[in-house]
Each structure stands twice: as C-alpha cells, then as structure tokens.
Amino acid sequence: MKRFLSFALILSCLISLLPSCVHLVPQRPSDYVTGTAVVIDNITPFVYDESMLEDDTRPVEVEGKTYNVTAYSMMNYCCRIGETAYTDFTRYYGNKIVRHYQNGESESYYTVFTEANYQLLYVFLEPDENGVLRFQEYIGYSMDARYTIRHDMIFEQDQPAAILGDRLPDSCYLDYYSPQELAKNNERIHQLYLHNCAVLNLPSLESIQLKLMREKTEASVYRCLQSSSFDVIDPVRNYAWHGFYCYDLILYEDGTGSLHYRHFIDKAAYEYELDEEATVSLTAEELIAFTTALQAYDFPNIPTWNPEELFGFDGETTYLIGGNDYFDTHLIGMWGSSPRHGIYHLRTALEDLAREKIHPTSGRVYVDYES
C-alpha cells in the first residue's frame, strides 16, 4: 500500500510539472519545418508570430570562433557576408520553409521571419554552384504592412500586407509622437504646400474664397496638388519629365460645381511649364464621388501629417486643402499615399473627373500608370 501511495505521489508530481515542461518547448508556427534540410514550399502561408522572437543569445561558430549572438544579429550578419548557407542558420534558429518563385526569366528563393513591432524580415537566398542555398549579399528587407515588394521577386500571398493585415508599427500612430513633434510635422506640410504654390505661381486659395464672398456666392473651395515623378515620357531624349497637377474645385450650395484643371511639366530645375489648363462645370451627380469621399473619410479630421507616411525618392506627393469658407480651411498632405488612405481616394475622385470631363492628353492622369 505504501509503495502504491509513493507511486501515486510521484505520478501526480510529474503531471503537475507537465504544463511547465510543455511551456519550455513552444510549438512552432506552421511555416517552420523539422530538421535542417531546405524545404521548398510554395503553399503553406507565412504567419506573424512574436513568440518566435529570440531575446536570448546563443553560441554560434563562425570561422572557427564561437560568438554569443541573438538570432537577428546573426541574420543581419548572414545577409551582409553573403556566404553563409541557409542550413547553417537553421541549426541555431529553426528551419522555415523556403519559397521558390519563378515567372518566366524571373527567379528567386526567399523566406520570411517575424520581427518585433509588426515587422517582417524578408531574406533572399541564392544557390551556389553546388545548388546549396546561401544568404544573398546585401539583400534583406525589413518590412511592415505599408510596403510592397517588387512583384517579380515574391508571390502576392507573401506581400507584407497579406501576412500582417492592418497591423502596423507603433510609429504609425499619432499618439506615438509628442505634441512638439506633431506640430513640427504639421508645419512642414504647410510650408511644402505653400512652396509648391509659389513655384507654380498659383493664386492662393484664400483669393478664390474671398472672390466668392464678395460675390455673395455660397460655396466651398478645395485644392488638390500632386507632384508626380517621371510623369511625361520624352521619346526623343529617352527621358521622363516630372509633373505637377492642380485641381481647384468649387462646390456650390446647390451641389453643383466647377473644376479648374492645370498640368505642369518640370523642364528645368524648379521651373514648371503649364502644359494643359481647362475649366469645366459639373453637375451634382458628377460630384457625388468626391462629396461622398469627403464624408466617408471625414476630411476635416484627417490629420495634416499622416504618421504612416513613408520616406523615399521619386513617387508622388499629394496635398489637399479646403473647407466651407475662408475661416474654416483644413490641409492634409502625404507622400506615397495608397488605397488605405483617405487622401488617396479624394485625389482619385478628382482625377476621374478630369479624365471624364476634361480629357487630358499627357501625364499620369492621361496614362494611369497605377493600373
């Protein structure tokens, strides 16, 4: 009887320890595989799982020497030197599936690791003369859901937004910034807008509003400016001119309106030539897309500076300013806006009006390079 009780006591202790033992060996997400061999898998989805982030250091042997490093410092090291085999890395930090993307002559091998704060590390590999996949030199992308990777390198299902959804890093939210930082960025947007109006020699929005007030005309006035890199192709010089667009929209009290369209081309440094100009009257029905977008995206409460804004070269920048009267004007601006942003849809509504009613003959509004 004593022997049975002792056995039961030991068994109960082992059972009580079982959860902690299981906790020590967490189950890896489905995009990890067992062993160290490279597994090519173009179907299993990559997942974002912060439980896979490694905060501890591990001993790693490099060129006969042992270093205590974290997983991601080792990852960055591997990406730089361009000589480490992927299987050498997986022995320390787990083996993830590898995609083999091939479309015509375009071919790439890559995998995706979780990084902290809703970011992903895209690691590209290439086979050596023996077919061993090694880290590519200089190619490793740390991405969040705002980015798009070249479509000739990865599958659509592996784009950051497809894996992360709407989850963004902390720096993409206004409450991440101090009031002083927000004021500084808002002022930057205002100064850039005013600078562009001066470069293009545009009348101020206030002068348009004051004219309407003197005429006792009840109306709201909106101006959309967009700079566009490589806007107009010059086939003779094999060169692309930068462009600038200005849409001045007057919305009258009865729902009708008028659109004044201008397209400028940068044929000298900061010297824009007027390429096209036209004014057209609009019915209330034709303005529904824009007025609906104003309400749907709550234009007066869109922040002047959007912390989701990326930094980069070329691309496009949009500014939208307007309101009900001279004393109630709101400005928003953003580089590289996308369909996830209200400013994008407001500008697109004006572009669609220009295409339908004015029929531009040059630039990105004439040839929609985003399609």
Side-chain angles (χ1 to χ4, degrees):
M1 184 65 178
K2 289 182 180 180
R3 190 174 295 175
F4 175 77
L5 290 174
S6 298
F7 176 77
L9 182 61
I10 293 171
L11 183 61
S12 65
C13 290
L14 289 173
I15 291 173
S16 66
L17 289 172
L18 185 59
S20 62
C21 294
V22 173
H23 180 72
L24 292 174
V25 186
Q27 183 177 357
R28 290 187 178 277
S30 57
D31 52 358
Y32 279 84
V33 292
T34 58
T36 58
V38 173
V39 176
I40 303 297
D41 182 341
N42 289 341
I43 298 176
T44 302
F46 286 111
V47 297
Y48 181 84
D49 190 332
E50 284 190 316
S51 69
M52 291 294 102
L53 292 173
E54 300 290 355
D55 295 324
D56 60 310
T57 59
R58 301 188 184 188
V60 175
E61 185 175 322
V62 179
E63 298 177 353
K65 295 183 179 181
T66 300
Y67 302 88
N68 289 323
V69 297
T70 64
Y72 289 97
S73 62
M74 179 64 178
M75 178 76 77
N76 293 331
Y77 175 77
C78 291
C79 289
R80 284 200 304 270
I81 64 174
E83 297 177 356
T84 303
Y86 180 59
T87 52
D88 292 339
F89 181 85
T90 62
R91 288 188 179 93
Y92 296 101
Y93 301 109
N95 191 4
K96 297 204 76 171
I97 59 175
V98 173
R99 295 281 199 251
H100 179 207
Y101 175 86
Q102 191 163 10
N103 185 10
E105 296 182 358
S106 177
E107 180 181 44
S108 64
Y109 294 86
Y110 63 91
T111 189
V112 184
F113 282 83
T114 291
E115 286 194 295
N117 201 14
Y118 300 123
Q119 296 184 91
L120 299 167
L121 182 63
Y122 288 76
V123 178
F124 289 84
L125 311 164
E126 59 183 4
D128 63 14
E129 62 276 7
N130 298 314
V132 176
L133 287 180
R134 298 183 180 277
F135 286 87
Q136 275 191 20
E137 188 175 7
Y138 69 77
I139 296 187
Y141 298 101
S142 184
M143 298 285 189
D144 59 52
R146 296 172 295 170
Y147 292 88
T148 299
I149 301 177
R150 282 171 40 191
H151 291 276
D152 62 340
M153 298 176 70
I154 73 169
F155 292 104
E156 190 67 29
Q157 71 204 47
D158 298 329
Q159 289 289 347
I163 299 174
L164 294 169
D166 292 330
R167 295 174 292 186
L168 292 170
D170 296 341
S171 59
C172 292
Y173 298 93
L174 291 171
D175 56 10
Y176 178 84
Y177 300 90
S178 69
Q180 293 78 14
E181 290 173 315
L182 291 176
K184 182 178 180 180
N185 282 302
N186 289 343
E187 180 62 20
R188 176 175 60 87
I189 297 297
H190 277 277
Q191 292 303 319
L192 287 171
Y193 165 75
L194 292 174
H195 169 77
N196 290 323
C197 288
V199 168
L200 300 173
N201 196 27
L202 294 172
S204 68
L205 195 71
E206 291 80 3
S207 66
I208 300 174
Q209 293 169 317
L210 285 171
K211 182 175 183 294
L212 291 169
M213 290 174 64
R214 286 194 294 268
E215 296 172 352
K216 301 186 183 305
T217 301
E218 295 292 333
S220 302
V221 183
Y222 295 88
R223 167 172 290 171
C224 180
L225 287 182
Q226 184 200 29
S227 63
S228 179
S229 299
F230 313 115
D231 182 51
V232 176
I233 307 299
D234 184 337
V236 176
R237 297 181 56 190
N238 192 27
Y239 185 81
W241 306 107
H242 296 319
F244 233 115
Y245 295 86
C246 178
Y247 308 85
D248 282 346
L249 179 67
I250 299 176
L251 294 179
Y252 298 109
E253 192 175 27
D254 63 359
T256 63
S258 66
L259 176 65
H260 188 171
Y261 169 82
R262 302 176 183 87
H263 177 216
F264 301 84
I265 298 177
D266 179 18
K267 291 196 172 181
Y270 299 106
E271 294 182 10
Y272 286 85
E273 295 181 7
L274 183 61
D275 179 57
E276 289 186 88
E277 183 176 18
T279 302
V280 62
S281 297
L282 300 168
T283 66
E285 290 75 18
E286 290 169 330
L287 285 165
I288 285 177
F290 182 77
T291 56
T292 300
L294 283 174
Q295 295 180 356
Y297 294 99
D298 194 12
F299 168 69
N301 291 310
I302 296 176
T304 295
W305 170 69
N306 190 329
E308 289 186 30
E309 182 181 63
L310 294 168
F311 293 95
F313 299 98
D314 304 323
E316 64 82 23
T317 304
T318 300
Y319 304 90
L320 182 65
I321 185 171
N324 295 326
D325 56 50
Y326 179 82
F327 303 102
D328 185 21
T329 298
H330 181 53
L331 170 67
I332 60 177
M334 190 173 186
W335 184 91
S337 61
S338 72
R340 63 184 290 128
H341 305 116
I343 192 171
Y344 173 93
H345 294 280
L346 290 163
R347 188 197 74 223
T348 299
L350 294 174
E351 291 172 343
D352 290 342
L353 282 173
R355 290 189 183 102
E356 180 182 351
K357 302 294 292 185
I358 295 174
H359 310 296
T361 59
S362 65
R364 65 167 299 280
V365 172
Y366 169 65
V367 180
D368 186 2
Y369 296 108
E370 293 182 347
S371 298

